[in-house]
Amino acid sequence: MTSPADHSPAIYAGVDTHAETHHVAVVNEHGKKIDDREFRTTAAGYTAIDQWITSFGCVAQIGIEGTGSYGAELARYLHARGHNVAEVPRPNRRLRRAQGKTDTIDAYAAARRLLDGSGVTAPKLRNGAVEAVRALRVARHNAVKATTAAMNALRGLITTSPESLRSQLRSLSRAKLMATCAAFRPDPARSTDPIQATKLALRSLATQVHELQCHADQLKRHLQQLLEQVAPHTVGLFALGPDTAAALVISIGDNPDRLTSEATFARLCGVAPIPASSGKTVRHRLHRGGDRQANQALHVAVIVRMRYDQRTKDYVARRTTDGKTKPEIIRCLKRYLAREVFQALRADLRPPAPAT
């Protein structure tokens, strides 16, 4: 191992993250290997990573893969210790085909990525109120998915049930269907009868749907209350409900200063125009990357505005007269809405001014 005195004091570290271990590599300002080591993903392990990296000299930057998953806690810890932490993308497939893949190779690749800065971004800190919003949205989204799955299973079971039972249930509305299935009292002495077994299964599924729906509604109320505290300007925008507003708040994170402009936010949401010209054809298209959940939230809000907002209706009518297609109009509206949302988010998440 090279000693700290043998290399430049400015060093860069890269971290390949996993569930149980993190592999850390250190290079100098010219990309030359210094050392690498594996650490456990525990509080003691994070402390050891910090001490080990700083033992080589002045730490210019630390690049971490997966700051939104396995590397989230390490990024929080190192940022709190005053380090310049960055999120680096995973090595591209061409590099992996040429050099192979190990934790050591990936860690050194992450460190060297910091030298040219390609694809390097500021990570979300996940240490404030926005992280609380994300946690509630994840729980609600899971409850909604589970409700849909249980409801689909119930309807599928009705479709294949005996006709005497199917004819009783097939024309009912959802509310009446749930009440009817929940009221079934199958005969336990006739458990081999398909009708009695199906009634038992339908009652179980109806109970699941009811409980999951109540759970999802409760989480939605908690999410709405939290958003009204964290992002009142954003929630106040027309057509943004708790779920769509939460997706947009989560996209910007607890450190909104990492997005330097409205154009940066538009690119993050996948609604920034990028050139797509060739030869004599000059045109633009929307960026297809970024946070797809934020993009979906903008899309849903635009569809709602096209139906219920008079200004948006007038805009659509005017642009349709100009010869624009509906997809083109939606793309423009998403871009305009991103500008409006960004201004509201900056007003909501701007750090408080220091006391004078």
Side-chain angles (χ1 to χ4, degrees):
M1 184 182 73
T2 307
S3 65
D6 296 330
H7 60 80
S8 171
I11 59 120
Y12 296 81
V15 186
D16 182 37
T17 60
H18 299 279
E20 301 297 330
T21 61
H22 293 333
H23 201 96
V24 187
V26 178
V27 300
N28 64 16
E29 58 188 1
H30 304 293
K32 183 179 179 180
K33 295 180 180 179
I34 298 177
D35 197 7
D36 66 273
R37 187 176 295 181
E38 187 175 85
F39 299 87
R40 302 290 299 176
T41 56
T42 61
Y46 299 143
T47 302
I49 289 175
D50 180 29
Q51 295 174 349
W52 183 76
I53 293 176
T54 54
S55 69
F56 292 100
C58 178
V59 183
Q61 199 172 23
I62 301 175
I64 302 176
E65 289 184 6
T67 59
S69 55
Y70 293 140
E73 181 58 28
L74 178 61
R76 277 192 291 259
Y77 178 83
L78 293 176
H79 182 272
R81 300 286 293 178
H83 290 291
N84 180 8
V85 180
E87 179 175 6
V88 295
R90 301 192 181 278
N92 58 52
R93 294 179 180 177
R94 177 179 297 179
L95 180 63
R96 286 186 171 178
R97 283 196 297 267
Q99 298 183 359
K101 183 191 184 313
T102 65
D103 294 346
T104 301
I105 292 175
D106 289 349
Y108 276 115
R112 287 172 176 148
R113 201 69 178 262
L114 299 171
L115 299 177
D116 60 19
S118 59
V120 176
T121 59
K124 297 178 183 177
L125 296 182
R126 300 179 182 273
N127 59 355
V130 174
E131 179 64 9
V133 172
R134 188 189 70 85
L136 288 180
R137 186 173 185 269
V138 168
R140 181 181 179 275
H141 182 67
N142 183 71
V144 171
K145 286 181 63 177
T147 303
T148 302
M151 191 67 201
N152 289 341
L154 185 145
R155 292 192 181 279
L157 196 57
I158 291 174
T159 301
T160 59
S161 64
E163 175 59 26
S164 59
L165 183 60
R166 186 169 70 250
S167 60
Q168 176 187 350
L169 302 173
R170 62 174 20 163
S171 60
L172 298 179
S173 65
R174 172 167 172 160
K176 290 183 178 180
L177 178 63
M178 292 296 99
T180 302
C181 291
F184 280 148
R185 295 294 180 268
D187 186 356
R190 300 167 56 195
S191 58
T192 58
D193 184 350
I195 293 181
Q196 299 302 315
T198 302
K199 285 184 176 181
L200 178 61
L202 290 174
R203 186 179 67 178
S204 174
L205 287 170
T207 302
Q208 289 182 42
V209 170
H210 175 72
E211 292 177 351
L212 288 167
Q213 187 61 59
C214 291
H215 186 53
D217 292 342
Q218 183 182 28
L219 287 170
K220 183 178 181 179
R221 289 192 295 271
H222 287 311
L223 187 60
Q224 177 71 32
Q225 294 171 1
L226 181 58
L227 284 169
E228 288 174 354
Q229 299 176 29
V230 175
H233 295 87
T234 306
V235 177
L237 293 178
F238 185 80
L240 288 187
D243 190 67
T244 51
L248 295 167
V249 169
I250 293 167
S251 69
I252 200 170
D254 282 301
N255 46 331
D257 53 319
R258 70 194 187 96
L259 299 179
T260 57
S261 66
E262 174 265 328
T264 307
F265 177 71
R267 187 172 182 85
L268 174 65
C269 295
V271 294
I274 60 176
S277 304
S278 178
K280 296 181 179 180
T281 302
V282 179
R283 69 183 186 91
H284 289 76
R285 66 170 177 82
L286 290 186
H287 172 53
R288 296 192 181 100
D291 187 335
R292 304 316 296 171
Q293 293 188 17
N295 185 281
Q296 182 187 29
L298 291 175
H299 185 87
V300 170
V302 163
I303 297 301
V304 172
R305 288 189 171 194
M306 290 174 66
R307 181 172 298 180
Y308 299 107
D309 181 53
Q310 189 58 47
R311 291 188 308 166
T312 306
K313 291 181 181 179
D314 296 340
Y315 175 83
V316 172
R318 185 171 66 255
R319 299 298 284 173
T320 302
T321 304
D322 294 339
K324 295 293 183 181
T325 63
K326 185 175 180 180
E328 290 175 332
I329 295 172
I330 291 176
R331 286 196 292 267
C332 292
L333 287 171
K334 287 167 71 174
R335 182 67 178 85
Y336 296 149
L337 180 58
R339 181 181 298 115
E340 189 176 350
V341 169
F342 178 74
Q343 295 171 354
L345 286 172
R346 289 300 293 265
D348 288 329
L349 304 178
R350 184 182 295 115
T356 58

